Amino acid sequence: MLERFTALPTVTHFLIGFMLAVHYIFAPRLGMWAFSLFSLPGTIAHELGHWLVARVLGAQPSFPSIIPKREGSTWVLGSVRVSPNIFTRIPIALAPFGLLPLGIWYAVAHSEASGGWYLVHIWVASTFIAASLPSRQDWMVALPAILCAVGAYFALQQLGWI
């Protein structure tokens, strides 16, 4: 699939890159509601990724919320409440990485579209790719478990068990 993605026309890569720039640079300046609508497909996929992995791992997730809400001085586009343990934190928090192959597949699968539909498919593919990056909150949830895993690895290595 990656070979087919790299073989897409240069204009497709340029437009996906342009849409990613719009997503990260210009859309947030349009206001929270405009930005939320712009990134809606990616937000839904991002939160469903957390929900699905949490559900599979038995972390009792709440159904994803995609209604933007203010928390302090920032806005949260979506959320899923879970009860992870030290072993499930990393896969649940970093589940959005699974959207990267989905975004690449979507770009390849819809590369033959034309006209306005082509631009719609570029937008959807780019929102999936943008949503594949875990949020700051995702990293904050995963970081303690990552540090424990790295510490355990080095401890086991020092004991000669690895």
Side-chain angles (χ1 to χ4, degrees), residues 47 72 111 142 156:
E47 299 307 332
S111 62
L156 292 173

Side-chain angles (χ1 to χ4, degrees), residues 121-133:
H121 293 308
I122 292 292
W123 167 61
V124 172
S126 66
T127 58
F128 284 152
I129 292 169
S132 72
L133 297 175

Side-chain angles (χ1 to χ4, degrees), residues 24-63:
Y24 286 109
I25 298 169
F26 301 114
R29 297 171 194 227
L30 298 175
M32 182 46 55
W33 288 102
F35 176 64
S36 297
L37 289 174
F38 179 81
S39 59
L40 185 62
T43 300
I44 291 170
H46 182 100
E47 299 307 332
L48 282 174
H50 288 306
W51 180 83
L52 181 63
V53 171
R55 184 101 173 149
V56 167
L57 296 177
Q60 305 166 356
S62 66
F63 195 73

